[in-house]
Amino acid sequence: MEEKQNDVAVAAAADLEVLEAVNMAITRNIASFSLFDDEAKLKEMIGAHYPHLLTHPKVKLIHIKGAVQAANAAVKSVFVKDSNVLMKGHIPTAVLLKAVLNEDYGLRTGSILSHVAAFEIEGYDRLIFITDAGMNIAPDLMQKAQIIRNAVQTARAVGIETPVVAPLAAVEVINPAMQATMDSAALAAMNRRGQITDCIIDGPLALDNAISPTAAEHKGITGTTAGKADILLVPNIEAGNILYKSLVYFAKAKVGGIIAGAKAPIVLTSRADSAESKLYSLALAIKTSATR
């Protein structure tokens, strides 16, 4: 079956914020959409807010009743390559992920699923990626290695050929009492020995030394990549969540995020995310999908 390019399967699409992101993406000719939900409900909601989408050639309504059924149908659409991106609508995350992990038609690859977010921050000349702020609670060393691989694949998809990865810790020296520093040093060694490829890993590093060449210089950290990290690997989900939300709410950064590590990228946004953020997430997912 020929793969349909840039088609997004949306599970439980009858949600105003999701439909706003769909409309923004259609307006910008970013993708086509297969919307899985109760058809009458979809038509009523779309007709009231975005009536032009009812007859748009890039929007298809698929009648499905129930959240579980919508999740299963959307995942199957990606599985058979009718769609190449999966998006969460008005549905519990656990329901969607259960369908993603289904043994018969799910999107497992054998690798860990992890969240990768790309930030556009005022004053920086590059995107900053943060991982994992949304999926893995307290990853161990080997899980962190796979999380890095997922993030590197995402960064390379948007044109960063050899991303610099900084496994973050509170300090930039190895301290056996601080597991994050031990893991960071091990990840850097794995990179040097070819166990993690297509990137440069330098760590342990504190946040300032990872993103500021001036701060790195003050701490005596030298080299062409000092202070120039593209990917920030957080030690646990609490650190990631705080850093992510600090950038959004304090720095007013623009962000798009996906779940990587599956057979197709997954847009798993929160109801608190703006339609603009959902649009950026869609764009990141589609860009990532195009490299597969």
Side-chain angles (χ1 to χ4, degrees):
M1 182 181 298
E2 184 180 354
E3 185 172 347
K4 185 187 297 181
Q5 292 299 314
N6 296 348
D7 187 85
V8 182
V10 186
D15 178 272
L16 284 180
E17 294 172 352
V18 170
L19 291 175
E20 183 179 358
V22 169
N23 182 58
M24 292 169 71
I26 289 290
T27 300
R28 291 162 175 78
N29 198 30
I30 289 176
S32 60
F33 289 85
S34 298
L35 307 181
F36 293 84
D37 213 318
D38 181 271
E39 189 173 7
K41 187 177 179 181
L42 270 174
K43 284 184 175 179
E44 180 182 2
M45 194 172 288
I46 295 171
H49 298 275
Y50 307 104
H52 60 284
L53 295 183
L54 288 173
T55 56
H56 200 287
K58 290 194 173 184
V59 177
K60 182 167 63 173
L61 310 186
I62 297 95
H63 177 63
I64 295 288
K65 281 193 173 183
V68 172
Q69 292 81 356
N72 291 340
V75 169
K76 287 178 181 178
S77 177
V78 177
F79 180 77
V80 301
K81 298 186 178 180
D82 282 342
S83 304
N84 56 349
V85 172
L86 177 66
M87 183 177 184
K88 173 181 177 287
H90 187 52
I91 185 174
T93 297
V95 172
L96 185 64
L97 290 180
K98 184 177 180 180
V100 168
L101 298 176
N102 183 281
E103 291 185 359
D104 296 325
Y105 56 80
L107 307 178
R108 297 172 184 240
T109 62
S111 66
I112 195 171
L113 298 183
S114 57
H115 189 267
V116 184
F119 286 84
E120 183 181 299
I121 307 167
E122 186 175 351
Y124 281 83
D125 60 353
R126 64 190 186 278
L127 292 175
I128 300 291
F129 292 81
I130 294 176
T131 193
D132 176 353
M135 281 290 291
N136 297 284
I137 295 173
D140 61 24
L141 176 63
M142 298 313 293
Q143 288 172 326
K144 287 178 179 178
Q146 186 58 61
I147 289 169
I148 289 175
R149 293 185 184 102
N150 289 346
V152 167
Q153 182 183 46
T154 304
R156 285 169 60 86
V158 299
I160 306 172
E161 185 174 348
T162 309
V164 178
V165 182
L168 296 181
V171 295
E172 62 283 343
V173 294
I174 298 170
N175 183 338
M178 302 173 75
Q179 187 61 43
T181 68
M182 301 291 286
D183 287 351
S184 297
L187 291 165
M190 291 170 72
N191 176 237
R192 290 193 297 272
R193 296 189 177 192
Q195 291 174 266
I196 306 173
T197 60
D198 298 323
C199 64
I200 298 169
I201 303 177
D202 188 11
L205 290 172
L207 177 62
D208 54 347
N209 305 320
I211 61 172
S212 168
T214 301
E217 184 180 358
H218 285 169
K219 287 293 183 72
I221 301 169
T222 59
T224 57
T225 63
K228 297 180 180 179
D230 301 296
I231 299 171
L232 304 178
L233 173 73
V234 298
N236 53 51
I237 199 168
E238 288 89 359
N241 183 275
I242 292 167
L243 179 56
Y244 183 111
K245 290 179 179 176
S246 294
L247 289 173
V248 172
Y249 288 97
F250 290 147
K252 307 300 181 186
K254 296 178 180 180
V255 60
I258 63 170
I259 301 298
K263 290 180 180 177
I266 303 169
V267 179
L268 197 68
T269 54
S270 164
R271 288 188 64 82
D273 290 334
S274 66
E276 183 183 55
S277 179
K278 288 181 171 69
L279 176 67
Y280 295 148
S281 298
L282 278 167
L284 181 62
I286 289 163
K287 191 73 173 177
T288 303
S289 174
T291 64
R292 291 173 179 268

